[in-house]
Amino acid sequence: MELFLVPPTSCPDSTLPQPSDPPRSPWWTLCHLSHHGDQPKSPLPRSWPGQVSRFCQEMTKGKNYALPNASWGPDMLSLYHEFLEKTKTSGWVRVPSFRSNRDHIQGFKLPLDLSANSDKSDWRLFTRCIEREGQGYEYVIFFQPSEKKSICLFQPGPYLEGVPGFVHGGSLAALIDETFSKTAYLSGEGLLTVNFNIRFKNLIPLGSLAVLNVNVEKIEDQKMYLSCVTQSRDQQTVYAKASGTFLQMHLEKDSSRQ
Amino acid sequence: MLRSCTAGLRSIWALRGRREGAPRLSTDLQPARRLFSTEKVIHKDWALPNPSWSKDLKLLFDQFMKKCEDGSWERLPSYKRRSTQESEDFKTYFLDPKLGEEERLSQAQLFTRGFEDGLGFEYVIFKNNDEKRTVCLFQGGPYLQGVPGLLHGGAMATMIDVALGSCTGGAVMTANLNINFKRPVPLCSVVVINSQLDKLEGRKLFLSCNVRSVDEKTLYSEATGKKLPLAILGLVSAVWGFFCLGRGGVDLVF
């Protein structure tokens, strides 16, 4: 879920998570789609925390964009394979990414009575809006459940330009938000954004690889506090630092669809 | 002197623009031909109504155009890329001559103007110079979705950044941006971003804005930002800042 917030007082009480409710909604379908045949369709490791493994219940037919394509440069590919290896050895999860977040929540109700307006097939997730390979956002998120942290490998294309030759700050902010959003939900059903803060340090050249490191700093009073450092692969250049606060909320099953 | 500077930068540009990870300009990655076909496309002012604009957006646009008649407000034009002269200079000094004719023009375009009509960011900014504030009318299209049915927060952050930048006088870069989200924005609705310059401290510009519904009854978000003159950056950025100065409609913020 991306950045938005409804003040808690305007939410019907039933939509706010109750302390006694265990997290039970499989928001994300984390699955090993192998469009490019690089990942066997094996069952998920039993070591995965229950919440994350509960997410992996349903295969989806939608295209998974979090897979290499011809536009990925050597930097992006090599780091991707490094983390792919970690998904087999150290508990990392590669987060699938679809054209719309609707693909992740089949069978579940959106909060705030949004369901009625959300079934438009031509609507797209902002960071997956540019179809052409290599022209816009090329990214993949890896999540580490045991440490509640994630890493996003980002290769920006020419359509994301701000200052000539460099990434538009707004486009970077959007991807940080996207990574926050997935991390927050996988770490504890963080759904609605309260606050987003970003400090830009250096420009990212178009076509280069930027690495976003996101951590959940704390969870308190139904709010999740996350941080992000965006830097070059060698960590010598910091591009931006950001923080975000998310409100925890879980989704109800949509009984009308059953 | 500028020519020798920019010629010297060519190798830097080639290195930065074509280093590992850059999208290949090969035949199987065709640039969008409509963007390169005519000068008219390059010079098109995108801050004008098109068929994708909703009734709300057109109505507000007309209201503000009326306010422009006495000169108290002005509409800021908005282009996808730089002027002909700037493009020529770009081609001469910054592109690899080995590339084909079509490929000599950069594939790059301003992020917020890179969508087909109605699919992404539809916006126009009106500026009140006396009061040092701007009003941005924004309609977020179907490719800007976050939660199904809602505008992506990152898209809202992008527009807030653009709106804050419109209050500054020239080429700037964003240092900080802080946004408090109050309510979700339904996708394809129209919002009004009211921005102002709060103070100037040396070279630092402190700005703020709020995002409201058309009837002003709903407050969607509030934000503050700090911006700095672009010339503080390295030589490459400073050269481009020179090209871009004074083009009020080009969004230079990032």
Side-chain angles (χ1 to χ4, degrees), chain A:
Chain A
M1 297 306 91
E2 317 319 331
L3 294 184
F4 63 88
L5 166 73
V6 171
T9 49
S10 67
C11 285
D13 285 345
S14 60
T15 64
L16 291 175
Q18 305 304 311
S20 56
D21 291 350
R24 29 186 191 85
S25 50
W27 173 263
W28 301 113
T29 53
L30 288 177
C31 49
H32 298 285
L33 289 175
S34 49
H35 282 264
H36 296 269
D38 65 341
Q39 188 84 355
K41 290 182 185 175
S42 52
L44 294 160
R46 288 186 188 190
S47 56
W48 280 21
Q51 182 175 340
V52 174
S53 59
R54 267 194 292 274
F55 296 158
C56 308
Q57 288 192 3
E58 198 179 326
M59 299 289 283
T60 173
K61 296 193 176 73
K63 176 181 170 184
N64 181 3
Y65 288 85
L67 292 167
N69 62 57
S71 74
W72 287 25
D75 272 349
M76 179 89 165
L77 279 169
S78 72
L79 198 54
Y80 169 80
H81 284 294
E82 204 176 292
F83 274 90
L84 202 62
E85 204 46 46
K86 294 188 193 196
T87 63
K88 298 168 194 162
T89 57
S90 352
W92 285 82
V93 173
R94 184 188 54 184
V95 181
S97 180
F98 306 116
R99 179 183 288 195
S100 167
N101 279 329
R102 171 49 88 187
D103 290 332
H104 287 285
I105 57 163
Q106 291 164 23
F108 285 83
K109 256 193 322 194
L110 290 168
L112 318 169
D113 297 318
L114 294 168
S115 298
N117 291 325
S118 61
D119 285 319
K120 302 260 166 85
S121 59
D122 58 339
W123 290 7
R124 291 193 192 174
L125 177 62
F126 181 36
T127 49
R128 292 298 181 199
C129 63
I130 297 166
E131 280 275 15
R132 279 211 175 115
E133 288 179 356
Q135 301 300 296
Y137 289 98
E138 290 295 340
Y139 70 94
V140 54
I141 300 171
F142 289 90
F143 174 66
Q144 173 53 270
S146 60
E147 295 175 62
K148 292 187 171 39
K149 71 177 186 184
S150 58
I151 189 163
C152 174
L153 315 183
F154 174 38
Q155 179 183 292
Y159 284 15
L160 303 189
E161 186 179 73
V163 169
F166 299 94
V167 176
H168 192 289
S171 71
L172 174 63
L175 187 63
I176 292 174
D177 165 42
E178 172 71 15
T179 312
F180 273 164
S181 162
K182 297 308 196 259
T183 310
Y185 199 81
L186 291 170
S187 300
E189 295 187 298
L191 192 67
L192 307 178
T193 309
V194 186
N195 173 267
F196 181 80
N197 181 288
I198 184 166
R199 284 91 63 205
F200 295 97
K201 307 286 182 193
N202 282 291
L203 301 173
I204 304 176
L206 292 176
S208 65
L209 172 68
V211 181
L212 284 61
N213 288 284
V214 169
N215 284 281
V216 175
E217 301 293 340
K218 76 176 171 184
I219 302 175
E220 196 178 77
D221 298 331
Q222 294 179 345
K223 283 196 198 141
M224 302 180 73
Y225 298 83
L226 298 97
S227 66
C228 175
V229 177
T230 304
Q231 52 198 347
S232 56
R233 182 179 183 170
D234 60 12
Q235 301 182 356
Q236 293 302 302
T237 310
V238 174
Y239 295 121
K241 293 187 178 179
S243 57
T245 310
F246 279 70
L247 190 68
Q248 291 177 299
M249 180 181 279
H250 74 255
L251 303 181
E252 302 288 337
K253 269 204 158 125
D254 190 351
S255 51
S256 66
R257 289 169 178 267
Q258 289 166 356

Side-chain angles (χ1 to χ4, degrees), chain B residues 225-251:
Chain B
K226 183 171 86 176
K227 293 187 185 280
L228 301 165
L230 199 61
I232 286 179
L233 293 182
L235 186 55
V236 172
S237 303
V239 169
W240 282 107
F242 175 87
F243 285 144
C244 299
L245 274 172
R247 306 304 195 272
V250 175
D251 300 319

